[in-house]
């Protein structure tokens, strides 16, 4: 689509009050994202009992229409963006390990996946999301298409003519399996998938392929008013194409999946895309809350600050559909609270995977794709409320100081089982103190410096207790039961909606 057409569409959007789509990184940086997997989020019939056997890997019946009816549940946690799993038509049928319910087996980029609903359903979902002032993020597959090979050799058994629009072998790399996922040139040139479901690997260095993908993404974002993208398997796409694709996607926010623990690798990808999921921090979080290691996390924070172009535009997560649920590794609810506290309050755009708020415990793909409806969307669940408190203070801190989210976190306290972090300028900072002890821990005090002036009063937003710095500026903080503490200046609490303070915000509902 030409820029002129986009401009005209933009004008129409304003005049009819239809949402303007494609938000840039700056606009996304204050957002907080709830990641859904459409097939497992909500059914059209609103059922909370319909069975879903994750092991079978079959469609369980979640739809866009069902999601529209559960947006209160998402908004109730304070999220202002929703990610949906890939929307395009996938290969139809059943492999030994299941069907394309997840959306990562594309067959036709120009049709929608009929299991999730119709064009009108997706349009309605987009409108319903935007009517709440929320952004819509779409998970996107551009690395590959898919084909059932059922054990046959992918180099000889694929009928490319059924794939759309990449309907000839010339659009793809010649078949080779990825024998070493740590070898990036191999990972980019060879095929993901296997010989049961082959994933023909698009030749993303080819200019024709690039143009076709660019045209497609402009159309689909325009058609459904998409504000930003997750880019699946970005690690496997030709790196030179990534900035080209982001630009084609109206230069909107794109976070590209590079599954790698290496800080250098993750940070270098930020030269190609404005954002990648923060895997180094994810692994450091596991070190902290499954092994009690309190050095990796603060160390990684210090290193990333100097290695990455901008940590505040990475996406921060502690669960997703590819990794073990935290509760499968460590069942303690207070450790889960600490984990979520860091995930939402650290630099970057938090992305919380559906079900984390219900403390689900699926240990790996596919068991970590539980049907959320079976939890009955319990809004009284402890982690549901915890997330809502965290999103509220993050928003509030950014309202009190519009530069808050662009400031970087740094460690301010290192104990044998505590980690303290500061984010925000003096007098406006949030101090987060995490514990790795778990709920069996007793009560004790720690004394820390945190950058507040002497005699300054801060409130812990979870217990609503006040703490005062002494005349040396030290804070004596009560820890108990392995609970996290989040401290904010009490004189700035008004407007937060927390601890009995009134709620006021300029950006709620249609006033974004
Ligand atoms: C990082 O990105 C944010 C959001 O776009 C921006 O406000 C900030 O200035 C950037 N920081 C640096 C150091 O470039
Ligand atoms: C789910 O399906 C698997 C494989 O078909 C089966 O072994 C298992 O018993 C099923 N689980 C439930 C809870 O029905
Ligand atoms: C990556 O794989 C290619 C092709 O097999 C090989 O030539 C190259 O040496 C490998 N690179 C590394 C760093 O192992
Ligand atoms: C976008 O909508 C137009 C008009 O309905 C349709 O022709 C086109 O195929 C759609 N493109 C995509 C990628 O959905
Ligand atoms: C914590 O993990 C780091 C590796 O990230 C390791 O070097 C260190 O020894 C660990 N510390 C403890 C106390 O286990
Ligand atoms: C905390 O301090 C504020 C401001 O001084 C005060 O209004 C509030 O009552 C205090 N809360 C508690 C629980 O002491
Ligand atoms: C708190 O904020 C509300 C809404 O902005 C305002 O009406 C009220 O006066 C404020 N209260 C205090 C004590 O500042």
């Amino acid at each position: 689509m030409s820029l002129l057409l986009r401009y005209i569409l933009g004008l129409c959007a304003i005049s009819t009050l239809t949402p303007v789509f494609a938000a840039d990184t700056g606009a996304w940086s204050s957002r907080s994202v709830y990641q859904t997997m459409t097939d497992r989020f909500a059914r059209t019939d609103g059922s909370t009992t319909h069975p879903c056997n994750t092991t079978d890997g079959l469609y369980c019946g979640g739809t866009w229409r069902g999601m529209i009816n559960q947006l209160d549940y998402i908004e109730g946690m304070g999220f202002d963006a929703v990610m949906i799993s890939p929307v395009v038509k996938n290969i139809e049928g059943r492999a030994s390990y299941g069907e394309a319910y997840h959306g990562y087996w594309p067959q036709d980029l120009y049709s929608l996946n009929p299991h999730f609903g119709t064009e009108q359903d997706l349009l309605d979902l987009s409108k319903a999301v935007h009517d709440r002032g929320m952004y819509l993020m779409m998970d996107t597959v551009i690395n590959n298409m898919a084909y059932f090979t059922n054990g046959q050799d992918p180099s000889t058994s694929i009928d490319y003519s059924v794939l759309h629009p990449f309907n000839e072998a010339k659009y793809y790399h010649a078949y080779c399996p990825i024998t070493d996922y740590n070898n990036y040139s191999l990972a980019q040139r060879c095929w993901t998938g296997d010989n049961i479901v082959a994933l023909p690997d698009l030749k993303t260095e080819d200019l024709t392929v690039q143009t076709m993908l660019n045209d497609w993404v402009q159309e689909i974002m325009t058609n459904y008013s998409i504000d930003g993208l997750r880019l699946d398997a970005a690690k496997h796409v030709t790196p030179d194409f990534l900035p080209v694709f982001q630009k084609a996607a109206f230069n909107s926010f794109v976070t590209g999946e590079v599954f790698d623990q290496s800080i250098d690798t993750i940070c270098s990808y930020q030269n190609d895309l404005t954002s990648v999921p923060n895997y180094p921090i994810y692994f450091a979080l596991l070190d902290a809350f499954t092994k009690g290691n309190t050095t990796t996390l603060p160390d990684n924070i210090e290193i990333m600050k100097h290695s990455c172009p901008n940590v505040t535009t990475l996406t921060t997560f502690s669960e997703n559909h590819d990794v073990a649920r935290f509760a499968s590794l460590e069942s303690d609810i207070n450790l889960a609270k600490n984990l979520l506290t860091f995930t939402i309050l650290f630099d970057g755009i938090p992305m919380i995977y559906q079900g984390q708020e219900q403390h689900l415990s699926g240990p790996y793909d596919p068991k970590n794709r539980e049907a959320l409806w079976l939890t009955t969307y319990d809004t009284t669940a402890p982690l549901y409320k915890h997330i809502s408190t965290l999103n509220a203070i993050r928003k509030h801190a950014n309202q009190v100081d519009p530069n808050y989210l662009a400031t970087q976190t740094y460690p301010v306290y290192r104990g044998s089982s505590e980690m303290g972090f500061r984010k925000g300028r003096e007098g406006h900072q949030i101090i987060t103190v995490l514990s790795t002890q778990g709920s069996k821990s007793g009560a004790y005090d720690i004394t820390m410096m945190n950058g507040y002036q002497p005699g300054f009063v801060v409130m812990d937003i979870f217990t609503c207790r006040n703490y005062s710095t002494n005349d040396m500026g030290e804070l004596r903080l009560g820890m108990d039961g392995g609970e996290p503490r989040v401290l904010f200046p009490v004189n700035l609490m008004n407007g937060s909606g927390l601890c009995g303070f009134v709620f006021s915000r300029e950006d709620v509902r249609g006033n974004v």
Side-chain angles (χ1 to χ4, degrees):
M1 189 178 65
S2 72
L3 279 176
L4 179 63
L5 179 52
R6 166 152 166 65
Y7 178 71
I8 293 167
L9 283 169
L11 288 181
C12 296
I14 289 161
S15 63
T16 62
L17 291 176
T18 319
V20 181
F21 64 101
D24 66 13
T25 301
W28 272 90
S29 61
S30 66
R31 299 277 163 161
S32 181
V33 187
Y34 185 74
Q35 174 188 354
T36 63
M37 180 169 271
T38 303
D39 183 63
R40 303 294 162 85
F41 181 67
R43 289 171 51 89
T44 301
D45 64 9
S47 167
T48 53
T49 55
H50 188 89
C52 179
N53 185 329
T54 51
T55 312
D56 283 347
L58 304 180
Y59 281 100
C60 288
T63 61
W64 297 314
R65 181 71 44 201
M67 197 177 297
I68 294 172
N69 298 331
Q70 288 298 341
L71 290 178
D72 280 349
Y73 175 80
I74 298 176
E75 200 181 7
M77 279 177 279
F79 290 106
D80 48 16
V82 183
M83 180 168 95
I84 52 175
S85 48
V87 302
V88 302
K89 186 174 191 305
N90 273 218
I91 53 175
E92 194 64 47
R94 186 172 176 174
S96 53
Y97 42 79
E99 299 172 323
Y101 70 91
H102 40 68
Y104 297 109
W105 296 345
Q107 177 181 24
D108 178 359
L109 303 190
Y110 283 85
S111 301
L112 294 177
N113 188 329
H115 293 272
F116 304 149
T118 63
E119 229 177 280
Q120 193 58 50
D121 292 337
L122 186 52
L123 286 169
D124 289 350
L125 173 62
S126 177
K127 179 166 190 314
V129 165
H130 288 114
D131 282 350
R132 292 167 184 256
M134 298 166 110
Y135 282 167
L136 184 60
M137 179 181 285
M138 181 181 72
D139 198 355
T140 309
V141 185
I142 61 164
N143 175 63
N144 55 267
M145 301 295 279
Y147 194 89
F148 284 119
T149 40
N150 291 322
Q152 286 176 293
D153 181 357
S155 60
T156 55
S157 59
I158 293 175
D159 172 9
Y160 289 97
S161 72
V162 302
L163 304 177
H164 186 59
F166 302 103
N167 58 355
E168 290 181 62
K170 69 174 185 193
Y171 297 120
Y172 301 88
H173 290 125
Y175 174 71
C176 52
I178 300 172
T179 48
D180 175 7
Y181 272 76
N182 293 319
N183 181 330
Y184 274 64
S185 67
L186 215 54
Q188 283 152 15
R189 180 168 50 80
C190 294
W191 293 24
T192 52
D194 53 31
N195 69 353
I196 301 192
V197 178
L199 301 177
D201 199 66
L202 284 167
K203 212 187 255 178
T204 43
E205 67 276 24
D206 180 288
L207 290 181
T208 308
V209 171
Q210 293 191 358
T211 303
M212 289 164 77
L213 286 170
N214 291 345
D215 289 350
W216 169 76
V217 82
Q218 296 196 343
E219 271 193 30
I220 198 146
M221 288 182 75
T222 308
N223 282 5
Y224 301 106
S225 303
I226 304 293
D227 301 293
L229 305 174
R230 171 187 183 268
L231 201 56
D232 178 62
K235 168 179 171 175
H236 300 278
V237 175
T238 311
D240 287 349
F241 178 50
L242 295 173
V244 176
F245 183 76
Q246 171 150 19
K247 205 162 166 224
F250 307 112
N251 214 14
S252 62
F253 179 70
V254 178
T255 189
E257 181 206 12
V258 179
F259 198 133
D260 200 313
Q261 187 164 357
S262 153
I263 291 176
D264 285 345
T265 303
I266 289 300
C267 291
S268 74
Y269 263 94
Q270 223 187 356
N271 297 313
D272 298 323
L273 284 175
T274 51
S275 183
V276 285
N278 198 334
Y279 267 102
I281 290 295
Y282 165 74
F283 285 107
L285 285 169
L286 292 191
D287 259 21
F289 298 114
T290 68
K291 296 187 197 143
N293 184 324
T294 54
T295 59
T296 327
L297 186 59
D299 285 353
N300 276 10
I301 290 170
E302 294 286 17
I303 299 166
M304 289 193 95
K305 208 185 317 187
H306 302 292
S307 310
C308 277
N310 194 342
V311 177
T312 74
T313 59
L314 299 180
T315 44
T316 314
F317 68 97
S318 39
E319 287 185 12
N320 66 35
H321 58 296
D322 290 325
V323 301
R325 296 259 192 205
F326 179 70
S328 72
L329 306 170
E330 171 53 67
S331 62
D332 190 282
I333 188 93
N334 284 353
L335 288 172
K337 282 186 185 170
N338 279 275
L339 179 80
L340 275 164
T341 301
F342 186 87
T343 308
I344 292 178
L345 296 185
F346 181 54
D347 306 340
I349 298 158
M351 194 180 281
I352 302 297
Y353 175 46
Q354 68 170 60
Q356 188 167 0
E357 72 279 8
Q358 299 291 346
H359 209 215
L360 296 184
S361 59
Y364 49 81
D365 164 12
K367 292 193 178 222
N368 58 2
R369 288 124 183 238
E370 304 92 332
L372 190 70
W373 54 81
L374 296 172
T375 70
T376 69
Y377 306 100
D378 181 4
T379 57
T380 67
L383 298 183
Y384 183 98
K385 292 195 281 195
H386 192 70
I387 290 171
S388 144
T389 301
L390 290 165
N391 274 326
I393 195 68
R394 178 176 182 270
K395 275 270 165 198
H396 181 64
N398 197 47
Q399 164 129 323
V400 168
D401 175 8
N403 285 324
Y404 170 77
L405 289 171
T407 64
Q408 294 196 309
T409 292
Y410 60 91
V412 289
Y413 185 83
R414 293 174 184 241
S416 57
S417 56
E418 303 82 21
M419 297 169 288
F421 304 102
R422 167 182 170 171
K423 183 178 175 71
R425 70 185 162 93
E426 185 181 329
H428 293 68
Q429 68 268 47
I430 289 183
I431 299 287
T432 300
V433 182
L434 305 178
S435 164
T436 61
Q437 292 202 6
S439 29
K440 291 201 186 78
S441 163
Y444 61 97
D445 287 352
I446 60 172
T447 301
M448 61 187 295
M449 294 296 289
N450 45 57
Y452 296 125
Q453 295 296 314
F456 200 79
V457 184
V458 293
M459 179 172 273
D460 170 31
I461 62 163
F462 298 125
T463 57
C464 306
R465 254 187 78 179
N466 289 334
Y467 292 92
S468 196
T469 49
N470 67 16
D471 50 17
M472 278 145 55
E474 289 172 335
L475 188 77
R476 201 176 158 84
L477 184 65
M479 303 295 289
D480 194 7
E483 297 265 7
R485 302 273 180 250
V486 169
L487 309 170
F488 196 64
V490 75
N491 64 326
L492 299 176
M493 283 294 288
N494 192 30
S496 66
L498 297 170
C499 294
F501 290 92
V502 299
F503 175 77
S504 68
R505 193 182 295 158
E506 284 143 26
D507 65 350
V508 282
R509 290 247 170 175
N511 192 15
V512 285

